Short mmCIF file of all heavy atoms in Angstrom, two decimals:
data_model
loop_
_atom_site.label_atom_id
_atom_site.label_comp_id
_atom_site.label_asym_id
_atom_site.label_seq_id
_atom_site.Cartn_x
_atom_site.Cartn_y
_atom_site.Cartn_z
N ILE Z 64 -6.91 7.02 -3.80
CA ILE Z 64 -6.28 7.07 -2.56
C ILE Z 64 -7.16 6.58 -1.46
O ILE Z 64 -6.70 5.88 -0.63
CB ILE Z 64 -5.73 8.47 -2.20
CG1 ILE Z 64 -4.61 8.85 -3.19
CG2 ILE Z 64 -5.22 8.59 -0.76
CD1 ILE Z 64 -4.13 10.30 -3.08
N LYS Z 65 -8.42 6.97 -1.53
CA LYS Z 65 -9.40 6.52 -0.48
C LYS Z 65 -9.53 5.07 -0.49
O LYS Z 65 -9.67 4.43 0.61
CB LYS Z 65 -10.77 7.20 -0.66
CG LYS Z 65 -10.67 8.66 -0.34
CD LYS Z 65 -12.05 9.36 -0.44
CE LYS Z 65 -11.96 10.76 -0.14
NZ LYS Z 65 -13.26 11.47 -0.19
N LEU Z 66 -9.58 4.38 -1.62
CA LEU Z 66 -9.77 2.89 -1.69
C LEU Z 66 -8.52 2.29 -1.14
O LEU Z 66 -8.72 1.36 -0.29
CB LEU Z 66 -9.95 2.45 -3.15
CG LEU Z 66 -10.02 1.00 -3.38
CD1 LEU Z 66 -11.21 0.34 -2.58
CD2 LEU Z 66 -10.12 0.66 -4.84
N ALA Z 67 -7.35 2.74 -1.38
CA ALA Z 67 -6.08 2.15 -0.77
C ALA Z 67 -6.11 2.33 0.71
O ALA Z 67 -5.77 1.38 1.47
CB ALA Z 67 -4.85 2.83 -1.42
N GLU Z 68 -6.53 3.44 1.28
CA GLU Z 68 -6.64 3.67 2.62
C GLU Z 68 -7.62 2.71 3.28
O GLU Z 68 -7.39 2.14 4.37
CB GLU Z 68 -7.01 5.14 3.02
CG GLU Z 68 -5.91 6.07 2.65
CD GLU Z 68 -6.36 7.51 2.87
OE1 GLU Z 68 -7.53 7.86 2.61
OE2 GLU Z 68 -5.47 8.30 3.29
N LYS Z 69 -8.81 2.48 2.61
CA LYS Z 69 -9.79 1.48 3.16
C LYS Z 69 -9.23 0.11 3.20
O LYS Z 69 -9.43 -0.70 4.13
CB LYS Z 69 -11.05 1.53 2.24
CG LYS Z 69 -12.01 2.69 2.54
CD LYS Z 69 -13.24 2.52 1.67
CE LYS Z 69 -14.19 3.63 1.90
NZ LYS Z 69 -15.42 3.53 1.11
N ILE Z 70 -8.56 -0.28 2.09
CA ILE Z 70 -7.90 -1.61 2.12
C ILE Z 70 -6.90 -1.79 3.22
O ILE Z 70 -6.91 -2.78 3.93
CB ILE Z 70 -7.24 -1.90 0.72
CG1 ILE Z 70 -8.31 -2.03 -0.38
CG2 ILE Z 70 -6.40 -3.10 0.72
CD1 ILE Z 70 -7.79 -1.99 -1.71
N HIS Z 71 -6.08 -0.74 3.38
CA HIS Z 71 -5.02 -0.74 4.44
C HIS Z 71 -5.73 -0.88 5.78
O HIS Z 71 -5.31 -1.74 6.63
CB HIS Z 71 -4.22 0.59 4.34
CG HIS Z 71 -3.07 0.65 5.20
ND1 HIS Z 71 -2.99 1.30 6.37
CD2 HIS Z 71 -1.91 -0.09 5.14
CE1 HIS Z 71 -1.82 1.14 6.93
NE2 HIS Z 71 -1.14 0.31 6.18
N GLN Z 72 -6.79 -0.10 6.03
CA GLN Z 72 -7.46 -0.13 7.34
C GLN Z 72 -8.17 -1.56 7.58
O GLN Z 72 -7.96 -2.07 8.67
CB GLN Z 72 -8.56 0.93 7.39
CG GLN Z 72 -9.34 0.96 8.65
CD GLN Z 72 -8.42 1.29 9.84
OE1 GLN Z 72 -7.52 2.07 9.76
NE2 GLN Z 72 -8.80 0.76 11.01
N LYS Z 73 -8.81 -2.06 6.60
CA LYS Z 73 -9.42 -3.34 6.78
C LYS Z 73 -8.43 -4.51 7.07
O LYS Z 73 -8.64 -5.30 7.86
CB LYS Z 73 -10.33 -3.72 5.52
CG LYS Z 73 -11.52 -2.80 5.39
CD LYS Z 73 -12.48 -3.02 6.42
CE LYS Z 73 -13.76 -2.16 6.24
NZ LYS Z 73 -14.64 -2.29 7.36
N ILE Z 74 -7.34 -4.44 6.35
CA ILE Z 74 -6.33 -5.48 6.62
C ILE Z 74 -5.75 -5.33 8.00
O ILE Z 74 -5.47 -6.32 8.68
CB ILE Z 74 -5.24 -5.45 5.55
CG1 ILE Z 74 -5.78 -5.91 4.25
CG2 ILE Z 74 -3.98 -6.22 5.92
CD1 ILE Z 74 -4.90 -5.82 3.04
N SER Z 75 -5.55 -4.17 8.50
CA SER Z 75 -4.96 -3.93 9.84
C SER Z 75 -5.95 -4.44 10.93
O SER Z 75 -5.52 -4.72 12.03
CB SER Z 75 -4.64 -2.53 10.05
OG SER Z 75 -5.78 -1.63 10.16
N GLU Z 76 -7.21 -4.55 10.61
CA GLU Z 76 -8.25 -4.99 11.49
C GLU Z 76 -8.36 -6.51 11.54
O GLU Z 76 -9.02 -7.08 12.46
CB GLU Z 76 -9.57 -4.37 11.28
CG GLU Z 76 -9.69 -2.91 11.41
CD GLU Z 76 -10.95 -2.26 10.87
OE1 GLU Z 76 -11.76 -2.94 10.28
OE2 GLU Z 76 -11.06 -0.98 11.00
N LEU Z 77 -7.76 -7.23 10.58
CA LEU Z 77 -7.87 -8.64 10.47
C LEU Z 77 -6.84 -9.28 11.40
O LEU Z 77 -5.75 -8.84 11.66
CB LEU Z 77 -7.49 -9.13 9.06
CG LEU Z 77 -8.55 -8.70 8.01
CD1 LEU Z 77 -8.00 -9.16 6.64
CD2 LEU Z 77 -9.92 -9.33 8.24
N PHE Z 78 -7.25 -10.38 12.00
CA PHE Z 78 -6.38 -11.27 12.79
C PHE Z 78 -6.61 -12.74 12.35
O PHE Z 78 -7.72 -13.16 12.18
CB PHE Z 78 -6.63 -11.10 14.30
CG PHE Z 78 -6.16 -9.78 14.79
CD1 PHE Z 78 -7.00 -8.70 14.82
CD2 PHE Z 78 -4.92 -9.64 15.28
CE1 PHE Z 78 -6.64 -7.43 15.33
CE2 PHE Z 78 -4.48 -8.41 15.81
CZ PHE Z 78 -5.37 -7.36 15.86
N ILE Z 79 -5.57 -13.39 12.23
CA ILE Z 79 -5.66 -14.84 11.93
C ILE Z 79 -5.02 -15.57 13.13
O ILE Z 79 -4.25 -14.94 13.87
CB ILE Z 79 -4.97 -15.23 10.55
CG1 ILE Z 79 -3.49 -14.82 10.58
CG2 ILE Z 79 -5.76 -14.55 9.43
CD1 ILE Z 79 -2.80 -15.31 9.35
N LEU Z 80 -5.25 -16.87 13.20
CA LEU Z 80 -4.68 -17.68 14.32
C LEU Z 80 -3.59 -18.52 13.76
O LEU Z 80 -3.76 -19.10 12.76
CB LEU Z 80 -5.76 -18.49 15.00
CG LEU Z 80 -6.94 -17.71 15.70
CD1 LEU Z 80 -7.89 -18.66 16.25
CD2 LEU Z 80 -6.32 -16.86 16.75
N SER Z 81 -2.53 -18.58 14.49
CA SER Z 81 -1.39 -19.48 14.18
C SER Z 81 -1.86 -20.87 14.52
O SER Z 81 -2.90 -21.17 15.08
CB SER Z 81 -0.16 -19.14 14.98
OG SER Z 81 -0.42 -19.50 16.39
N GLU Z 82 -1.02 -21.90 14.13
CA GLU Z 82 -1.31 -23.26 14.46
C GLU Z 82 -1.48 -23.48 15.94
O GLU Z 82 -2.13 -24.45 16.36
CB GLU Z 82 -0.25 -24.22 13.89
CG GLU Z 82 -0.19 -24.25 12.39
CD GLU Z 82 0.93 -25.13 11.85
OE1 GLU Z 82 1.63 -25.78 12.70
OE2 GLU Z 82 1.10 -25.15 10.58
N ASP Z 83 -0.78 -22.68 16.75
CA ASP Z 83 -0.86 -22.81 18.18
C ASP Z 83 -2.09 -21.97 18.78
O ASP Z 83 -2.25 -21.97 20.03
CB ASP Z 83 0.44 -22.25 18.89
CG ASP Z 83 1.65 -22.99 18.35
OD1 ASP Z 83 1.47 -24.22 18.09
OD2 ASP Z 83 2.71 -22.40 18.32
N GLY Z 84 -2.85 -21.42 17.89
CA GLY Z 84 -4.02 -20.64 18.43
C GLY Z 84 -3.71 -19.25 18.82
O GLY Z 84 -4.52 -18.48 19.33
N GLU Z 85 -2.48 -18.71 18.51
CA GLU Z 85 -2.13 -17.33 18.90
C GLU Z 85 -2.51 -16.47 17.75
O GLU Z 85 -2.37 -16.75 16.52
CB GLU Z 85 -0.54 -17.29 19.02
CG GLU Z 85 -0.06 -18.07 20.21
CD GLU Z 85 -0.46 -17.53 21.53
OE1 GLU Z 85 -0.54 -16.34 21.74
OE2 GLU Z 85 -0.75 -18.38 22.42
N PRO Z 86 -3.04 -15.25 18.11
CA PRO Z 86 -3.45 -14.31 17.08
C PRO Z 86 -2.27 -13.65 16.34
O PRO Z 86 -1.28 -13.45 17.00
CB PRO Z 86 -4.25 -13.23 17.89
CG PRO Z 86 -3.80 -13.38 19.30
CD PRO Z 86 -3.36 -14.83 19.52
N ILE Z 87 -2.40 -13.57 15.06
CA ILE Z 87 -1.34 -12.96 14.25
C ILE Z 87 -1.92 -11.69 13.56
O ILE Z 87 -2.93 -11.83 12.89
CB ILE Z 87 -0.82 -13.91 13.18
CG1 ILE Z 87 -0.16 -15.14 13.88
CG2 ILE Z 87 0.21 -13.24 12.25
CD1 ILE Z 87 0.14 -16.27 12.88
N SER Z 88 -1.36 -10.56 13.77
CA SER Z 88 -1.97 -9.34 13.14
C SER Z 88 -1.33 -9.27 11.68
O SER Z 88 -0.16 -9.79 11.53
CB SER Z 88 -1.66 -8.09 13.87
OG SER Z 88 -0.23 -7.88 14.09
N LEU Z 89 -1.97 -8.62 10.80
CA LEU Z 89 -1.48 -8.47 9.43
C LEU Z 89 -1.22 -7.00 9.17
O LEU Z 89 -1.89 -6.09 9.68
CB LEU Z 89 -2.54 -8.98 8.42
CG LEU Z 89 -3.10 -10.41 8.59
CD1 LEU Z 89 -4.19 -10.63 7.61
CD2 LEU Z 89 -1.89 -11.39 8.37
N THR Z 90 -0.16 -6.78 8.28
CA THR Z 90 0.10 -5.45 7.92
C THR Z 90 0.21 -5.50 6.33
O THR Z 90 0.41 -6.52 5.74
CB THR Z 90 1.46 -4.98 8.50
OG1 THR Z 90 2.52 -5.72 8.03
CG2 THR Z 90 1.35 -4.95 9.97
N VAL Z 91 0.23 -4.27 5.74
CA VAL Z 91 0.28 -4.19 4.29
C VAL Z 91 0.90 -2.88 3.89
O VAL Z 91 0.70 -1.91 4.60
CB VAL Z 91 -1.08 -4.36 3.57
CG1 VAL Z 91 -2.08 -3.26 3.94
CG2 VAL Z 91 -1.00 -4.43 2.12
N SER Z 92 1.76 -2.94 2.89
CA SER Z 92 2.32 -1.78 2.32
C SER Z 92 1.69 -1.68 0.94
O SER Z 92 1.62 -2.66 0.17
CB SER Z 92 3.82 -1.81 2.19
OG SER Z 92 4.39 -1.89 3.52
N ILE Z 93 1.30 -0.42 0.57
CA ILE Z 93 0.54 -0.17 -0.69
C ILE Z 93 1.27 1.01 -1.46
O ILE Z 93 1.52 2.08 -0.85
CB ILE Z 93 -0.92 0.14 -0.45
CG1 ILE Z 93 -1.61 -1.03 0.23
CG2 ILE Z 93 -1.60 0.44 -1.84
CD1 ILE Z 93 -3.06 -0.71 0.68
N GLY Z 94 1.54 0.80 -2.71
CA GLY Z 94 2.01 1.84 -3.57
C GLY Z 94 0.96 2.19 -4.66
O GLY Z 94 0.52 1.23 -5.22
N ILE Z 95 0.63 3.41 -4.75
CA ILE Z 95 -0.38 3.82 -5.74
C ILE Z 95 0.17 4.91 -6.65
O ILE Z 95 1.01 5.69 -6.30
CB ILE Z 95 -1.72 4.29 -5.09
CG1 ILE Z 95 -1.38 5.47 -4.11
CG2 ILE Z 95 -2.35 3.11 -4.31
CD1 ILE Z 95 -2.73 6.03 -3.50
N ALA Z 96 -0.41 4.94 -7.87
CA ALA Z 96 -0.14 5.95 -8.83
C ALA Z 96 -1.31 6.19 -9.71
O ALA Z 96 -2.00 5.20 -10.09
CB ALA Z 96 1.07 5.56 -9.74
N HIS Z 97 -1.66 7.44 -9.98
CA HIS Z 97 -2.76 7.75 -10.88
C HIS Z 97 -2.18 7.80 -12.32
O HIS Z 97 -1.15 8.41 -12.55
CB HIS Z 97 -3.39 9.04 -10.51
CG HIS Z 97 -4.08 9.07 -9.19
ND1 HIS Z 97 -5.37 8.55 -9.08
CD2 HIS Z 97 -3.76 9.39 -7.97
CE1 HIS Z 97 -5.77 8.62 -7.81
NE2 HIS Z 97 -4.83 9.12 -7.10
N ARG Z 98 -2.98 7.18 -13.16
CA ARG Z 98 -2.45 7.16 -14.55
C ARG Z 98 -2.70 8.56 -15.22
O ARG Z 98 -3.76 9.10 -15.18
CB ARG Z 98 -3.25 6.09 -15.45
CG ARG Z 98 -2.64 5.97 -16.80
CD ARG Z 98 -3.28 4.78 -17.49
NE ARG Z 98 -2.78 4.59 -18.78
CZ ARG Z 98 -3.25 4.02 -19.76
NH1 ARG Z 98 -4.43 3.32 -19.60
NH2 ARG Z 98 -2.64 3.85 -20.95
N LYS Z 99 -1.64 9.08 -15.79
CA LYS Z 99 -1.66 10.36 -16.47
C LYS Z 99 -2.18 10.10 -17.95
O LYS Z 99 -1.98 9.05 -18.55
CB LYS Z 99 -0.33 10.98 -16.53
CG LYS Z 99 0.21 11.31 -15.11
CD LYS Z 99 1.61 11.86 -15.20
CE LYS Z 99 2.12 12.02 -13.80
NZ LYS Z 99 3.55 12.49 -13.78
N SER Z 100 -2.87 11.01 -18.53
CA SER Z 100 -3.57 10.84 -19.80
C SER Z 100 -2.59 10.51 -20.87
O SER Z 100 -2.96 9.86 -21.81
CB SER Z 100 -4.42 12.06 -20.14
OG SER Z 100 -3.59 13.17 -20.24
N HIS Z 101 -1.43 10.96 -20.71
CA HIS Z 101 -0.44 10.85 -21.82
C HIS Z 101 0.53 9.59 -21.65
O HIS Z 101 1.35 9.31 -22.55
CB HIS Z 101 0.51 12.07 -21.98
CG HIS Z 101 1.30 12.33 -20.75
ND1 HIS Z 101 0.79 12.92 -19.66
CD2 HIS Z 101 2.55 12.02 -20.40
CE1 HIS Z 101 1.77 12.93 -18.69
NE2 HIS Z 101 2.83 12.42 -19.18
N GLU Z 102 0.43 8.86 -20.56
CA GLU Z 102 1.32 7.79 -20.35
C GLU Z 102 0.71 6.36 -20.54
O GLU Z 102 -0.48 6.21 -20.45
CB GLU Z 102 1.97 7.93 -18.97
CG GLU Z 102 1.12 7.51 -17.79
CD GLU Z 102 1.78 7.69 -16.50
OE1 GLU Z 102 2.97 8.04 -16.36
OE2 GLU Z 102 1.12 7.35 -15.50
N ASP Z 103 1.56 5.42 -20.88
CA ASP Z 103 1.08 4.07 -21.03
C ASP Z 103 1.05 3.39 -19.68
O ASP Z 103 1.52 3.90 -18.63
CB ASP Z 103 1.96 3.33 -22.01
CG ASP Z 103 3.41 3.18 -21.60
OD1 ASP Z 103 3.68 3.46 -20.42
OD2 ASP Z 103 4.24 2.79 -22.43
N MET Z 104 0.36 2.23 -19.68
CA MET Z 104 0.11 1.58 -18.45
C MET Z 104 1.42 1.03 -17.76
O MET Z 104 1.57 1.04 -16.59
CB MET Z 104 -0.82 0.36 -18.63
CG MET Z 104 -1.18 -0.40 -17.32
SD MET Z 104 -1.98 0.75 -16.12
CE MET Z 104 -3.65 0.83 -16.84
N LYS Z 105 2.33 0.71 -18.59
CA LYS Z 105 3.70 0.26 -18.07
C LYS Z 105 4.32 1.34 -17.25
O LYS Z 105 4.89 1.06 -16.12
CB LYS Z 105 4.61 -0.17 -19.20
CG LYS Z 105 5.91 -0.78 -18.77
CD LYS Z 105 6.65 -1.20 -19.94
CE LYS Z 105 8.11 -1.74 -19.49
NZ LYS Z 105 8.85 -2.27 -20.59
N THR Z 106 4.24 2.53 -17.67
CA THR Z 106 4.91 3.64 -16.90
C THR Z 106 4.12 3.94 -15.61
O THR Z 106 4.69 4.10 -14.56
CB THR Z 106 4.84 4.93 -17.74
OG1 THR Z 106 5.57 4.72 -19.03
CG2 THR Z 106 5.48 6.10 -17.01
N THR Z 107 2.75 3.84 -15.67
CA THR Z 107 1.96 4.00 -14.48
C THR Z 107 2.31 2.91 -13.43
O THR Z 107 2.54 3.20 -12.22
CB THR Z 107 0.42 3.96 -14.80
OG1 THR Z 107 0.11 4.92 -15.78
CG2 THR Z 107 -0.39 4.24 -13.55
N LEU Z 108 2.40 1.68 -13.90
CA LEU Z 108 2.69 0.58 -12.97
C LEU Z 108 4.17 0.69 -12.40
O LEU Z 108 4.31 0.43 -11.19
CB LEU Z 108 2.51 -0.76 -13.67
CG LEU Z 108 1.11 -1.16 -14.02
CD1 LEU Z 108 1.10 -2.46 -14.80
CD2 LEU Z 108 0.25 -1.22 -12.78
N LEU Z 109 5.02 1.21 -13.23
CA LEU Z 109 6.40 1.46 -12.64
C LEU Z 109 6.37 2.47 -11.54
O LEU Z 109 7.02 2.30 -10.48
CB LEU Z 109 7.31 1.92 -13.80
CG LEU Z 109 8.72 2.20 -13.41
CD1 LEU Z 109 9.48 1.01 -12.83
CD2 LEU Z 109 9.46 2.77 -14.61
N ARG Z 110 5.56 3.51 -11.71
CA ARG Z 110 5.49 4.56 -10.67
C ARG Z 110 4.79 4.01 -9.36
O ARG Z 110 5.19 4.32 -8.25
CB ARG Z 110 4.72 5.87 -11.17
CG ARG Z 110 5.55 6.64 -12.19
CD ARG Z 110 4.94 7.91 -12.56
NE ARG Z 110 3.55 7.84 -13.11
CZ ARG Z 110 2.40 8.31 -12.44
NH1 ARG Z 110 2.63 8.74 -11.21
NH2 ARG Z 110 1.30 8.12 -13.03
N ALA Z 111 3.74 3.18 -9.53
CA ALA Z 111 3.12 2.54 -8.39
C ALA Z 111 4.09 1.60 -7.78
O ALA Z 111 4.19 1.52 -6.44
CB ALA Z 111 1.87 1.74 -8.86
N ASP Z 112 4.91 0.80 -8.50
CA ASP Z 112 5.91 -0.04 -7.95
C ASP Z 112 6.95 0.72 -7.12
O ASP Z 112 7.42 0.29 -6.01
CB ASP Z 112 6.52 -0.85 -9.00
CG ASP Z 112 7.41 -1.99 -8.52
OD1 ASP Z 112 6.92 -2.76 -7.67
OD2 ASP Z 112 8.54 -2.18 -8.97
N GLN Z 113 7.38 1.88 -7.62
CA GLN Z 113 8.36 2.70 -6.92
C GLN Z 113 7.78 3.21 -5.63
O GLN Z 113 8.47 3.30 -4.67
CB GLN Z 113 8.78 3.84 -7.85
CG GLN Z 113 9.66 3.39 -8.96
CD GLN Z 113 9.97 4.48 -9.99
OE1 GLN Z 113 9.25 5.50 -10.12
NE2 GLN Z 113 11.02 4.28 -10.74
N ALA Z 114 6.50 3.49 -5.66
CA ALA Z 114 5.83 3.99 -4.39
C ALA Z 114 5.71 2.89 -3.37
O ALA Z 114 5.90 3.11 -2.24
CB ALA Z 114 4.38 4.53 -4.77
N LEU Z 115 5.54 1.63 -3.83
CA LEU Z 115 5.47 0.49 -2.93
C LEU Z 115 6.82 0.27 -2.28
O LEU Z 115 6.82 0.09 -1.04
CB LEU Z 115 5.11 -0.77 -3.75
CG LEU Z 115 5.13 -2.12 -2.98
CD1 LEU Z 115 4.25 -2.05 -1.81
CD2 LEU Z 115 4.84 -3.23 -3.86
N TYR Z 116 7.87 0.39 -3.09
CA TYR Z 116 9.17 0.18 -2.46
C TYR Z 116 9.47 1.28 -1.48
O TYR Z 116 10.18 1.22 -0.46
CB TYR Z 116 10.29 0.14 -3.57
CG TYR Z 116 10.32 -1.27 -4.14
CD1 TYR Z 116 9.76 -1.48 -5.38
CD2 TYR Z 116 10.86 -2.35 -3.42
CE1 TYR Z 116 9.82 -2.83 -5.98
CE2 TYR Z 116 10.92 -3.61 -4.00
CZ TYR Z 116 10.39 -3.87 -5.21
OH TYR Z 116 10.36 -5.09 -5.74
N GLN Z 117 8.95 2.52 -1.81
CA GLN Z 117 9.20 3.62 -0.82
C GLN Z 117 8.49 3.42 0.46
O GLN Z 117 8.98 3.67 1.55
CB GLN Z 117 8.67 4.95 -1.50
CG GLN Z 117 9.10 6.19 -0.77
CD GLN Z 117 10.59 6.42 -0.63
OE1 GLN Z 117 11.29 6.20 -1.59
NE2 GLN Z 117 11.04 6.90 0.42
N ALA Z 118 7.25 2.85 0.46
CA ALA Z 118 6.46 2.47 1.60
C ALA Z 118 7.29 1.45 2.43
O ALA Z 118 7.37 1.56 3.66
CB ALA Z 118 5.06 1.90 1.25
N LYS Z 119 7.88 0.56 1.78
CA LYS Z 119 8.66 -0.53 2.54
C LYS Z 119 9.90 0.09 3.07
O LYS Z 119 10.25 -0.21 4.24
CB LYS Z 119 9.05 -1.67 1.57
CG LYS Z 119 7.76 -2.47 1.14
CD LYS Z 119 8.22 -3.65 0.29
CE LYS Z 119 6.99 -4.40 -0.10
NZ LYS Z 119 7.34 -5.62 -0.87
N LEU Z 120 10.54 0.92 2.46
CA LEU Z 120 11.77 1.62 2.93
C LEU Z 120 11.53 2.54 4.16
O LEU Z 120 12.34 2.73 4.97
CB LEU Z 120 12.48 2.39 1.79
CG LEU Z 120 13.19 1.59 0.75
CD1 LEU Z 120 13.71 2.54 -0.40
CD2 LEU Z 120 14.36 0.83 1.34
N GLN Z 121 10.29 3.02 4.11
CA GLN Z 121 9.93 3.97 5.23
C GLN Z 121 9.40 3.32 6.48
O GLN Z 121 8.92 3.93 7.39
CB GLN Z 121 8.91 5.05 4.71
CG GLN Z 121 9.43 5.93 3.64
CD GLN Z 121 8.38 6.87 3.08
OE1 GLN Z 121 7.26 7.08 3.61
NE2 GLN Z 121 8.65 7.59 2.01
N GLY Z 122 9.42 1.95 6.45
CA GLY Z 122 9.07 1.24 7.69
C GLY Z 122 7.90 0.29 7.48
O GLY Z 122 7.42 -0.28 8.45
N LYS Z 123 7.42 0.13 6.27
CA LYS Z 123 6.34 -0.80 5.96
C LYS Z 123 5.03 -0.33 6.60
O LYS Z 123 4.90 0.66 7.26
CB LYS Z 123 6.73 -2.21 6.40
CG LYS Z 123 7.97 -2.73 5.68
CD LYS Z 123 8.33 -4.14 6.16
CE LYS Z 123 9.60 -4.55 5.42
NZ LYS Z 123 9.95 -5.87 5.84
N ASN Z 124 3.97 -1.19 6.40
CA ASN Z 124 2.70 -0.94 6.89
C ASN Z 124 2.12 0.46 6.64
O ASN Z 124 1.65 1.13 7.58
CB ASN Z 124 2.61 -1.25 8.39
CG ASN Z 124 1.19 -1.48 8.90
OD1 ASN Z 124 0.31 -1.91 8.12
ND2 ASN Z 124 0.92 -1.06 10.15
N GLN Z 125 2.22 0.89 5.40
CA GLN Z 125 1.69 2.22 5.08
C GLN Z 125 1.33 2.24 3.58
O GLN Z 125 1.69 1.37 2.78
CB GLN Z 125 2.75 3.31 5.38
CG GLN Z 125 4.11 3.07 4.84
CD GLN Z 125 5.13 4.06 5.39
OE1 GLN Z 125 5.03 5.25 5.07
NE2 GLN Z 125 6.02 3.56 6.17
N THR Z 126 0.59 3.33 3.27
CA THR Z 126 0.19 3.64 1.89
C THR Z 126 0.96 4.85 1.38
O THR Z 126 1.02 5.81 2.07
CB THR Z 126 -1.30 3.91 1.81
OG1 THR Z 126 -1.99 2.68 2.32
CG2 THR Z 126 -1.75 4.09 0.35
N VAL Z 127 1.58 4.65 0.23
CA VAL Z 127 2.39 5.77 -0.29
C VAL Z 127 1.91 5.91 -1.82
O VAL Z 127 1.81 4.96 -2.52
CB VAL Z 127 3.88 5.51 -0.33
CG1 VAL Z 127 4.69 6.46 -1.04
CG2 VAL Z 127 4.34 5.28 1.16
N SER Z 128 1.64 7.13 -2.15
CA SER Z 128 1.30 7.45 -3.57
C SER Z 128 2.61 7.87 -4.25
O SER Z 128 3.61 8.07 -3.57
CB SER Z 128 0.25 8.54 -3.66
OG SER Z 128 0.78 9.81 -3.48
N ASP Z 129 2.54 7.97 -5.51
CA ASP Z 129 3.80 8.46 -6.23
C ASP Z 129 4.05 9.90 -5.95
O ASP Z 129 5.12 10.47 -6.19
CB ASP Z 129 3.72 8.19 -7.79
CG ASP Z 129 2.49 8.93 -8.38
OD1 ASP Z 129 1.48 9.18 -7.73
OD2 ASP Z 129 2.67 9.28 -9.59
N LYS Z 130 3.15 10.54 -5.27
CA LYS Z 130 3.26 12.00 -4.92
C LYS Z 130 3.62 12.23 -3.40
O LYS Z 130 4.48 13.06 -3.15
CB LYS Z 130 1.91 12.72 -5.13
CG LYS Z 130 1.32 12.65 -6.50
CD LYS Z 130 2.20 13.34 -7.50
CE LYS Z 130 1.57 13.26 -8.84
NZ LYS Z 130 2.54 13.62 -9.91
N LYS Z 131 3.11 11.30 -2.50
CA LYS Z 131 3.36 11.56 -1.11
C LYS Z 131 3.03 10.31 -0.28
O LYS Z 131 2.29 9.44 -0.77
CB LYS Z 131 2.61 12.75 -0.54
CG LYS Z 131 1.08 12.51 -0.66
CD LYS Z 131 0.30 13.75 -0.16
CE LYS Z 131 -1.13 13.51 -0.41
NZ LYS Z 131 -1.92 13.43 0.77
N LYS Z 132 3.38 10.30 0.99
CA LYS Z 132 3.02 9.30 1.88
C LYS Z 132 1.52 9.59 2.29
O LYS Z 132 1.24 10.76 2.64
CB LYS Z 132 3.91 9.29 3.19
CG LYS Z 132 3.51 8.11 4.07
CD LYS Z 132 4.54 7.90 5.16
CE LYS Z 132 4.38 8.76 6.32
NZ LYS Z 132 5.25 8.42 7.42
N VAL Z 133 0.64 8.54 2.32
CA VAL Z 133 -0.73 8.85 2.57
C VAL Z 133 -1.12 8.41 4.03
O VAL Z 133 -1.71 9.17 4.73
CB VAL Z 133 -1.62 8.08 1.56
CG1 VAL Z 133 -3.08 8.23 1.93
CG2 VAL Z 133 -1.34 8.54 0.20
N ASN Z 134 -0.67 7.28 4.46
CA ASN Z 134 -1.14 6.66 5.68
C ASN Z 134 -0.14 5.78 6.29
O ASN Z 134 0.49 5.10 5.58
CB ASN Z 134 -2.44 5.94 5.36
CG ASN Z 134 -3.04 5.23 6.60
OD1 ASN Z 134 -2.37 5.07 7.61
ND2 ASN Z 134 -4.34 4.95 6.46
N MET Z 135 0.02 5.81 7.57
CA MET Z 135 0.86 4.79 8.22
C MET Z 135 0.10 4.46 9.53
O MET Z 135 -0.33 5.28 10.28
CB MET Z 135 2.22 5.39 8.59
CG MET Z 135 3.14 4.39 9.23
SD MET Z 135 4.87 4.93 9.34
CE MET Z 135 4.72 6.01 10.81
N CYS Z 136 0.03 3.14 9.80
CA CYS Z 136 -0.58 2.62 11.01
C CYS Z 136 0.46 2.19 12.00
O CYS Z 136 1.47 1.81 11.67
CB CYS Z 136 -1.53 1.45 10.60
SG CYS Z 136 -2.93 1.99 9.70
#
């Protein structure tokens, strides 16, 4: 979770310039899931994907784990 929060924070601090020289801010939605000892990778990735869609549904620009919302900027 901490790594996802760091990535989210760093991306929110980035600005790129448009062709017209105008600054464009970046946002990111992140879905995370911790792999359980008894599950295969496909199941873990499915839970992370579901968390990503939840982040987007909740307004984007946030980190959501398969357990809870972690961060919103």
Side-chain angles (χ1 to χ4, degrees):
I64 293 175
K65 288 182 181 183
L66 177 59
E68 289 175 326
K69 281 184 181 182
I70 292 169
H71 190 253
Q72 180 63 36
K73 293 294 184 185
I74 289 174
S75 71
E76 294 171 358
L77 293 175
F78 288 90
I79 59 174
L80 297 178
S81 70
E82 291 179 5
D83 300 329
E85 296 293 321
I87 300 172
S88 61
L89 302 174
T90 63
V91 64
S92 296
I93 300 173
I95 57 174
H97 292 279
R98 186 170 182 202
K99 298 175 182 175
S100 60
H101 65 278
E102 76 182 358
D103 61 14
M104 185 58 75
K105 184 176 179 178
T106 302
T107 305
L108 291 174
L109 178 61
R110 290 189 302 108
D112 191 50
Q113 290 170 340
L115 172 61
Y116 281 105
Q117 190 64 35
K119 291 179 178 185
L120 287 172
Q121 293 176 14
K123 302 181 182 177
N124 197 32
Q125 52 189 292
T126 300
V127 174
S128 78
D129 62 328
K130 304 290 183 198
K131 62 181 176 115
K132 183 166 91 172
V133 177
N134 179 339
M135 184 169 77
C136 291

